[in-house]
Amino acid sequence: TARKLIAVAAARGRPVVVANGCEGDPAGLKDRVLLEIAPHLVIDGIVLAATAVRARDAVLCLGEGGLQVARIAGALAERSGTDPIDVRVTEVPHRYVASEESALARFLTRGDARPR
């Protein structure tokens, strides 16, 4: 995480934090549990990371149509106007490779969730 934050902070241009909550691994459930039970904690982490790299925007990527989307949307509505960072949710298709790092970056910039 530190290496990624340092790379974003050092990069030229406007920094944006991308948080991956897609959990493409079918056997993993830790992200889903955290997003459903403690959505404010997830948002706090995103805001903290964005503040650390001086980003004004952050994107939380979630699997489309999941309960996590509703929980995060509710938490963001409760916090409306209180955070210094604009956190938006983007729903990603449910495909195993769609949440891989390069696929996610490509999805956010070009709309195609294929890895390099």
Side-chain angles (χ1 to χ4, degrees), residues 54-78:
R54 296 188 183 106
R56 288 179 281 172
D57 303 302
V59 180
L60 172 57
C61 298
L62 300 172
E64 59 189 358
L67 177 59
Q68 305 85 6
V69 175
R71 293 276 200 253
I72 289 291
L76 287 170
E78 289 173 11

Side-chain angles (χ1 to χ4, degrees), residues 31-45:
D31 293 347
R32 182 178 351 168
V33 170
L34 190 59
L35 287 159
E36 290 176 7
I37 293 176
H40 286 284
L41 187 61
V42 173
I43 297 167
D44 288 342

Side-chain angles (χ1 to χ4, degrees), residues 48-96:
L48 182 62
T51 301
V53 298
R54 296 188 183 106
R56 288 179 281 172
D57 303 302
V59 180
L60 172 57
C61 298
L62 300 172
E64 59 189 358
L67 177 59
Q68 305 85 6
V69 175
R71 293 276 200 253
I72 289 291
L76 287 170
E78 289 173 11
R79 300 164 72 112
S80 181
T82 62
D83 289 321
I85 308 300
D86 178 34
V87 179
R88 68 180 168 90
V89 174
T90 296
E91 295 183 60
V92 178
H94 287 287
R95 293 194 307 264
Y96 182 68

